[in-house]
């Protein structure tokens, strides 16, 4: 069964600085990978996804992520963060099967942008 | 395009009472998921449906939890004899299972349950 690890539970960063949120997954088959963002008291919003093709994926709000199969990682990056990026970020994985499997989420990383 | 809709958004109930949450997925989506989320944690998978068929139910889910999706449209999640440990946000999500689309799920705003 697939699993997701997000090693950093909290990441503080100054406004306009770059940030990287780490995600590693475990699976015996090929996977689809996702990053979601959650603002307080709201549901999760899709930031970006990797299905196939280019390993560098661009998403909304200036975020991007790179799929690294050898390291089983899918780290999220942004070159310059804003106060509005303060939120919870969740990495998720879905195994690629003939009938797609469920989506499993990591524990999340809390990004705090400091003015 | 209306998104995933969940009702009620907030529910406070006394321990031992039954509660039911409803989810209306995005109209053409054939898959529907229920997750549970507590503060500081990621969404925990509960169950999912393809059309009206329940494909999987988490082994962590007690028999007090039941979900249905009659006619493959909206879904309900019922919790019987609620306990304080059931207090959480219950998230519904839906996706369109199609070739080359991946399994991209879209979430509703969630239903908060507080058991007192």
């Amino acid at each position: 069964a697939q699993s997701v690890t997000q090693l950093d539970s909290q990441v503080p960063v100054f406004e306009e600085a770059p940030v990287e949120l780490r995600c590693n997954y475990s699976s015996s088959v090929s996977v689809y990978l996702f990053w979601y963002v959650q603002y307080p008291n709201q549901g999760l919003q899709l930031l970006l996804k990797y299905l196939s093709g280019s390993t560098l994926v661009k998403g909304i709000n200036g975020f991007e992520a790179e799929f690294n199969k050898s390291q089983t990682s899918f780290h999220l990056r942004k070159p310059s963060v804003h106060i509005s990026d303060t939120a919870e970020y969740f990495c998720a994985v879905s195994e690629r099967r003939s009938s797609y499997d469920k989506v499993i989420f990591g524990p999340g990383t809390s990004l705090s942008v400091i003015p | 395009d209306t998104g995933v809709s969940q009702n009620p958004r907030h529910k406070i109930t006394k321990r031992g009472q039954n509660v039911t949450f409803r989810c209306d997925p995005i109209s053409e989506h054939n898959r529907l998921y229920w997750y549970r989320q507590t503060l500081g944690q990621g969404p925990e998978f509960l169950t999912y449906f393809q059309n009206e068929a329940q494909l999987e139910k988490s082994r962590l889910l007690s028999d007090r939890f039941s979900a249905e999706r009659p006619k493959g449209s909206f879904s309900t999640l019922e919790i019987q004899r609620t306990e304080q440990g059931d207090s959480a946000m219950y998230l519904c999500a839906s996706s369109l299972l199609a070739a080359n689309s991946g399994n991209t799920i879209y979430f509703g705003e969630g239903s908060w349950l507080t058991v007192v």
Side-chain angles (χ1 to χ4, degrees):
Chain A
Q2 71 269 40
S3 66
V4 180
T5 303
Q6 294 180 251
L7 292 175
D8 306 306
S9 59
Q10 296 184 350
V11 173
V13 61
F14 285 104
E15 191 174 15
E16 297 183 3
V19 69
E20 177 180 83
L21 305 184
R22 295 181 293 170
C23 172
N24 288 87
Y25 68 92
S26 173
S27 175
S28 58
V29 301
S30 297
V31 296
Y32 297 116
L33 294 160
F34 309 86
W35 275 98
Y36 286 81
V37 60
Q38 185 177 35
Y39 300 102
N41 299 317
Q42 294 186 22
L44 281 72
Q45 178 184 2
L46 180 68
L47 267 181
L48 48 79
K49 60 186 177 184
Y50 170 77
L51 303 183
S52 64
S54 173
T55 57
L56 183 62
V57 179
K58 294 188 183 298
I60 63 172
N61 300 340
F63 284 94
E64 64 180 30
E66 187 160 17
F67 170 55
N68 188 318
K69 186 176 181 180
S70 63
Q71 296 185 3
T72 61
S73 67
F74 191 54
H75 300 331
L76 180 71
R77 302 186 184 99
K78 186 170 182 177
S80 176
V81 296
H82 301 288
I83 295 291
S84 59
D85 293 324
T86 295
E88 291 283 333
Y89 291 81
F90 296 96
C91 183
V93 62
S94 176
E95 292 185 328
R96 300 176 65 158
R97 300 174 182 272
S98 56
S99 58
Y100 303 141
D101 207 343
K102 56 188 179 290
V103 181
I104 298 299
F105 287 81
T109 296
S110 178
L111 175 63
S112 297
V113 180
I114 305 165
Chain B
D1 177 26
T2 58
V4 178
S5 177
Q6 293 188 244
N7 289 288
R9 293 291 316 280
H10 302 274
K11 179 72 176 178
I12 300 174
T13 190
K14 292 183 178 180
R15 187 176 54 187
Q17 297 294 306
N18 299 344
V19 296
T20 299
F21 298 111
R22 175 179 170 126
C23 173
D24 289 272
I26 294 172
S27 59
E28 70 272 20
H29 283 188
N30 47 18
R31 280 212 168 177
L32 186 147
Y33 301 78
W34 285 101
Y35 290 84
R36 176 172 61 192
Q37 186 180 27
T38 53
L39 284 175
Q41 302 296 318
E44 174 191 16
F45 169 78
L46 295 180
T47 187
Y48 75 129
F49 295 83
Q50 181 166 320
N51 299 314
E52 66 276 9
Q54 188 171 20
L55 297 185
E56 185 175 343
K57 183 177 177 180
S58 170
R59 286 171 288 179
L60 300 176
L61 210 57
S62 79
D63 292 340
R64 297 184 296 105
F65 287 72
S66 63
E68 294 182 343
R69 193 184 182 197
K71 303 179 182 178
S73 55
F74 72 92
S75 175
T76 58
L77 176 69
E78 182 183 19
I79 309 173
Q80 296 181 327
R81 304 181 302 283
T82 52
E83 302 173 356
Q84 287 187 323
D86 297 331
S87 295
M89 181 161 70
Y90 291 85
L91 291 161
C92 178
S94 69
S95 69
L96 177 62
L97 182 64
N100 301 320
S101 70
N103 196 13
T104 305
I105 62 174
Y106 297 90
F107 282 87
E109 293 295 305
S111 292
W112 280 102
L113 173 64
T114 302
V115 181
V116 298

